[in-house]
Amino acid sequence: MRLYKMELYKLCCKKIFIIGAVCVIVIVLFAFWLKVNGEESTVDGVKYTGLQAVRVNRQITEEFKGILTDEKAEKIVEKYGFPSEVELYFGYYSNANYLNGWVERMLSDGDYYDWDNYKIATVIYPIEDTELEKARELTGTELVLDYSDGWVTFLDVMQIGLLLGSILILFGTSTVFAGEKQNNTQQLLFTTKEGRGSDIYSKMAAAFTVAFNVWFSVIILDLALCGMVYGFSGLKCLVGTTSIAYYHVITYLPYTMWTIGTMIVTVLLRSLLGVFLLCAMTICISAYMKSTFNAVVLAAILWVLPILLWILIREGGQNFNSYIIISIVISIIRYFIFASPIYSVFYDTVSDGSRILTLLSVIAAAGVVLFSAGAYRKYKRQQVV
């Protein structure tokens, strides 16, 4: 325990780590402010923006929250009408609020693709004639209408925070082993009464503790901010009824029929596994490097490599569809790309991998074990000169 505390102190008290942590917090706060500041809502001809828009949307939704019915949809349109005003470079109807915008997207004949390509809604479809009914049959549960924009903001801010947190983990944990070799302090550490094995375990435990605390701090900060402004309602809504999903067809992919609560838990567990994989990969590289600079550079390259591979596959992969072996290899590479640390913190990758999440989790967990074992074995065998 003494060695563990000492190693944890060494990792957390470096100036670069402290400055990095402050920068992550500031950027997360700024990203959240931008999201809230971009909110808009129009009720009774009055347009609200920012925090006021969030409050208004939450307030008007209270009257209609609960199990969705045709009567509720009709009352919403009767009270607020269909959104119809369009502005140049504005991403949706400029006079929409949360309720009539939701009905327009999910239960009407209206469409909005762009400010010069849209159709104003005129008719409300019965639920049984829409994809909502198919989703209800497939899930076996009643459809819930509730205010859920807070969870969209939570996920958007979360991935920004975890991307920055990943950079912090790279810089923080890359010094675990490489720093000792660079400073030539192995002789002292390997002659402690606890022994070489205990020292290595302490270093690895401290690194994983730092990685977990970075992940946990980002999640708690984001959750607290969203809870204070948006509240925690909407967890029982289907993902396909929110802007989390890219497709209006709810039954298009499995994840669109999850509840938001299921989506949040899945994303959090997947991101945590990705953070642990990044930590394991970094300390393994650190064990092989003789300087912290080389360790950071190589770890950073491997961290962003999946994005470069994905670009190459998307650009040139279709040219090899006729070659079965190459096609299989590309498919396997895709699995490793989606299981990589950088893709694990992007919540929207759940949509692409919703059918193979178990396989991706197994790959990531195996990576954590293999990289950790590799770090332990390499550093333990270091020859003290």
Side-chain angles (χ1 to χ4, degrees):
M1 183 60 71
R2 181 181 64 84
L3 285 175
Y4 167 74
K5 291 180 179 179
M6 181 179 69
E7 295 297 337
L8 191 59
Y9 177 82
K10 286 164 59 178
L11 292 178
C12 295
C13 291
K14 288 183 171 65
K15 287 184 179 180
I16 190 171
F17 187 85
I18 295 174
I19 294 173
V22 172
C23 290
V24 171
I25 293 172
V26 170
I27 295 174
V28 167
L29 291 173
F30 181 67
F32 181 77
W33 176 82
L34 285 178
K35 287 290 294 184
V36 174
N37 196 53
E39 298 284 350
E40 294 192 353
S41 178
T42 300
V43 176
D44 297 331
V46 180
K47 190 170 187 176
Y48 303 90
T49 59
L51 185 58
Q52 273 191 315
V54 175
R55 290 173 176 169
V56 168
N57 279 332
R58 290 180 64 184
Q59 183 178 358
I60 64 175
T61 306
E62 283 297 317
E63 180 184 351
F64 298 96
K65 67 186 298 185
I67 296 175
L68 179 65
T69 63
D70 291 325
E71 290 74 18
K72 282 186 179 181
E74 291 170 358
K75 287 181 180 178
I76 289 172
V77 174
E78 180 182 342
K79 187 169 185 178
Y80 300 108
F82 283 118
S84 57
E85 295 180 6
V86 177
E87 293 181 8
L88 192 64
Y89 303 117
F90 195 82
Y92 191 57
Y93 295 105
S94 59
N95 66 332
N97 58 50
Y98 180 79
L99 289 175
N100 64 5
W102 192 94
V103 173
E104 188 274 334
R105 290 192 305 272
M106 305 306 304
L107 291 171
S108 80
D109 62 339
D111 277 311
Y112 188 98
Y113 298 102
D114 209 338
W115 54 79
D116 58 356
N117 184 13
Y118 61 92
K119 177 186 176 183
I120 297 175
T122 58
V123 177
I124 302 176
Y125 295 134
I127 295 174
E128 63 181 11
D129 294 337
T130 67
E131 283 289 322
L132 290 174
E133 179 63 23
K134 294 180 182 178
R136 180 162 57 185
E137 293 174 356
L138 290 170
T139 58
T141 58
E142 291 293 337
L143 300 170
V144 174
L145 174 62
D146 203 347
Y147 183 68
S148 59
D149 278 358
W151 296 112
V152 180
T153 296
F154 172 81
L155 291 172
D156 285 338
V157 175
M158 182 206 74
Q159 66 181 13
I160 294 173
L162 290 182
L163 276 175
L164 297 171
S166 295
I167 297 173
L168 188 61
I169 292 169
L170 279 173
F171 278 94
T173 59
S174 60
T175 63
V176 170
F177 296 124
E180 304 298 349
K181 286 181 283 186
Q182 179 175 287
N183 298 324
N184 200 26
T185 56
Q186 289 174 294
Q187 295 93 329
L188 296 175
L189 294 170
F190 286 168
T191 56
T192 58
K193 65 179 181 179
E194 287 86 356
R196 181 180 299 190
S198 296
D199 174 62
I200 298 173
Y201 283 131
S202 298
K203 287 179 179 296
M204 294 175 65
F208 279 105
T209 300
V210 168
F212 175 80
N213 283 335
V214 170
W215 174 86
F216 185 74
S217 298
V218 169
I219 298 304
I220 290 300
L221 176 60
D222 188 14
L223 192 64
L225 291 171
C226 290
M228 287 188 294
V229 175
Y230 293 93
F232 297 110
S233 61
L235 287 172
K236 294 183 179 180
C237 298
L238 293 185
V239 171
T241 64
T242 72
S243 57
I244 296 173
Y246 293 122
Y247 307 99
H248 289 298
V249 183
I250 298 177
T251 54
Y252 182 78
L253 289 171
Y255 89 106
T256 57
M257 289 181 288
W258 295 351
T259 63
I260 292 179
T262 300
M263 176 76 173
I264 295 296
V265 172
T266 302
V267 168
L268 290 181
L269 292 177
R270 176 168 157 77
S271 64
L272 177 60
L273 192 54
V275 163
F276 281 157
L277 179 56
L278 175 63
C279 178
M281 181 187 75
T282 305
I283 62 176
C284 184
I285 292 171
S286 181
Y288 280 83
M289 296 292 106
K290 293 183 179 180
S291 74
T292 56
F293 177 79
N294 291 340
V296 170
V297 171
L298 182 55
I301 291 173
L302 292 180
W303 181 56
V304 301
L305 183 61
I307 293 180
L308 301 178
L309 288 175
W310 180 247
I311 294 173
L312 291 174
I313 288 175
R314 290 191 64 180
E315 293 296 327
Q318 62 269 23
N319 298 327
F320 300 101
N321 288 336
S322 58
Y323 300 95
I324 297 178
I325 296 178
I326 297 179
S327 180
I328 293 173
V329 171
I330 290 177
S331 296
I332 294 173
I333 292 174
R334 282 197 181 101
Y335 293 150
F336 283 95
I337 288 174
F338 283 114
S340 66
I342 194 167
Y343 271 89
S344 295
V345 302
F346 290 124
Y347 74 86
D348 53 359
T349 59
V350 170
S351 63
D352 299 308
S354 57
R355 294 188 176 95
I356 55 170
L357 283 178
T358 301
L359 175 60
L360 296 180
S361 299
V362 170
I363 293 173
V368 173
V369 174
L370 292 175
F371 280 123
S372 299
Y376 178 86
R377 185 176 181 180
K378 177 63 179 178
Y379 198 67
K380 190 174 183 180
R381 291 185 175 183
Q382 290 292 326
Q383 295 295 323
V384 179
V385 180

